[in-house]
Amino acid sequence: FVIIGLGALVGFLSGMFGVGGGFLMTPLLIFLGVPPPVAVATGANLITASSVSGALAHFQRGGVDLKMGWILILGGAIGSFFGAEVFSFLKRLGQLDLAVSLIYVVFLGGIGSLMLIESLGALRRRRAGAPPPRRRRRHVGWRYALPLKMRFRKSRLYISALLPMGVGVLVGFLAAIMGVGGGFIMIPAMIYLIGMPTNVVVGTSLFQIIFVTAITTVLHAVHTQSVDILLSLVLLVGAVVGAQWGARFATRLQGAELRALLALLVIAVGIKMAWGLTISPGPLWRIDWVLP
């Protein structure tokens, strides 16, 4: 029942914030005693299913930019391949547990802090009745100087395809190493870097997460054999239902409120991971089996 509850929580976050939930599920599985390699690979498998449920709910509301999503998926597939190779290398060195924990602390702490500062500033301006900051003129800046421009009508953008593809490569790489869908990085990148409107960010993020984590799961199953099928199935029972409720609840909150809640959650998980790296471990026990 604990595992089913964890799946429901991650599914709810997936539908509400547009994140796969791996940034929360993988640490929670590690806290419960699941080995990090298994937690990473199994978390990616869970995220695939929960993202399907959440993406369908947003697609029905017209909140998915399919063209942008396919570009992100192409980059994510490339990043997942390289990430799986690095994952296997770290596992052979015996440094995988430490590497995964350190990467979580750095990314969760940094990105969560930046999101919290921005979202709290937006909330203060709204309560004070101040006008929103003026947007920069469209089609001006380095992002519009890149080649291979494409028109994304759903997002009302005309930018280079290299920008979302590069974001996809980074997210795919992290998905393979950290067992995450990359939504906690993808959402800020889509809003602040690519410049997508908030109403299509969540659904598009979930759409690309489906394919990136599916590729990551297959790569882990082939290269590291770390996917626990039974654990995944139990988690899925709650995740699929939770994603639907999360997508419904997301429509009741403003964009700044959603970003603030997500930032607080990201920072809390990062603090927990950092605490686990700094405290002294309990008594260590070792059992050696001597074969006759």
Side-chain angles (χ1 to χ4, degrees), residues 97-194:
D97 295 13
L98 177 62
V100 169
S101 298
L102 287 175
I103 293 173
Y104 263 103
V105 171
V106 172
F107 274 93
L108 295 180
I111 294 176
S113 299
L114 292 175
M115 288 184 63
L116 183 61
I117 292 172
E118 185 278 333
S119 57
L120 290 179
L123 289 173
R124 283 197 299 267
R125 288 192 298 270
R126 190 177 68 183
R127 291 181 178 178
R134 294 181 59 184
R135 294 176 59 92
R136 295 181 179 179
R137 241 181 358 163
R138 298 176 68 86
H139 310 303
V140 174
W142 65 269
R143 77 178 72 175
Y144 302 106
L146 297 174
L148 299 178
K149 288 187 175 62
M150 297 181 65
R151 190 174 299 279
F152 301 93
R153 300 188 183 279
K154 192 74 174 180
S155 298
R156 302 190 298 278
L157 291 173
Y158 181 63
I159 59 174
S160 170
L162 296 177
L163 182 58
M165 186 176 295
V167 173
V169 170
L170 174 61
V171 170
F173 183 82
L174 294 175
I177 294 181
M178 301 170 66
V180 300
F184 70 98
I185 296 175
M186 180 64 74
I187 295 294
M190 294 169 78
I191 295 174
Y192 305 117
L193 186 61
I194 300 177

Side-chain angles (χ1 to χ4, degrees), residues 9-75:
L9 173 62
V10 170
F12 182 83
L13 296 174
S14 174
M16 182 176 178
F17 295 119
V19 298
F23 74 94
L24 181 63
M25 177 55 68
T26 302
L28 288 177
L29 290 176
I30 294 174
F31 298 155
L32 289 177
V34 178
V38 177
V40 168
T42 304
N45 189 19
L46 165 70
I47 295 164
T48 304
S50 62
S51 297
V52 168
S53 180
L56 287 175
H58 285 279
F59 184 79
Q60 294 172 353
R61 298 178 175 86
V64 179
D65 187 336
L66 293 177
K67 189 175 182 179
M68 180 69 75
W70 286 118
I71 299 295
L72 293 168
I73 290 166
L74 178 60

Side-chain angles (χ1 to χ4, degrees), residues 130-291:
R134 294 181 59 184
R135 294 176 59 92
R136 295 181 179 179
R137 241 181 358 163
R138 298 176 68 86
H139 310 303
V140 174
W142 65 269
R143 77 178 72 175
Y144 302 106
L146 297 174
L148 299 178
K149 288 187 175 62
M150 297 181 65
R151 190 174 299 279
F152 301 93
R153 300 188 183 279
K154 192 74 174 180
S155 298
R156 302 190 298 278
L157 291 173
Y158 181 63
I159 59 174
S160 170
L162 296 177
L163 182 58
M165 186 176 295
V167 173
V169 170
L170 174 61
V171 170
F173 183 82
L174 294 175
I177 294 181
M178 301 170 66
V180 300
F184 70 98
I185 296 175
M186 180 64 74
I187 295 294
M190 294 169 78
I191 295 174
Y192 305 117
L193 186 61
I194 300 177
M196 293 177 61
T198 306
N199 64 318
V200 296
V201 164
V202 174
T204 306
S205 173
L206 289 172
F207 177 72
Q208 68 86 29
I209 286 173
I210 294 171
F211 294 89
V212 172
T213 52
I215 294 171
T216 300
T217 301
V218 173
L219 290 173
H220 278 303
V222 172
H223 291 288
T224 65
Q225 292 82 45
S226 300
V227 180
D228 189 325
I229 298 297
L230 180 59
L231 179 60
S232 297
L233 291 175
V234 177
L235 289 168
L236 288 176
V237 173
V240 174
V241 177
Q244 295 293 323
W245 284 102
R248 296 178 184 178
F249 189 77
T251 59
R252 303 177 183 179
L253 297 176
Q254 299 293 328
E257 295 171 344
L258 282 173
R259 295 196 299 273
L261 289 174
L262 178 58
L264 290 173
L265 187 60
V266 168
I267 292 173
V269 177
I271 292 174
K272 176 61 178 176
M273 294 293 292
W275 177 254
L277 288 173
T278 55
I279 62 173
S280 300
L284 300 179
W285 299 87
R286 176 175 175 179
I287 300 176
D288 291 327
W289 294 92
V290 181
L291 297 177

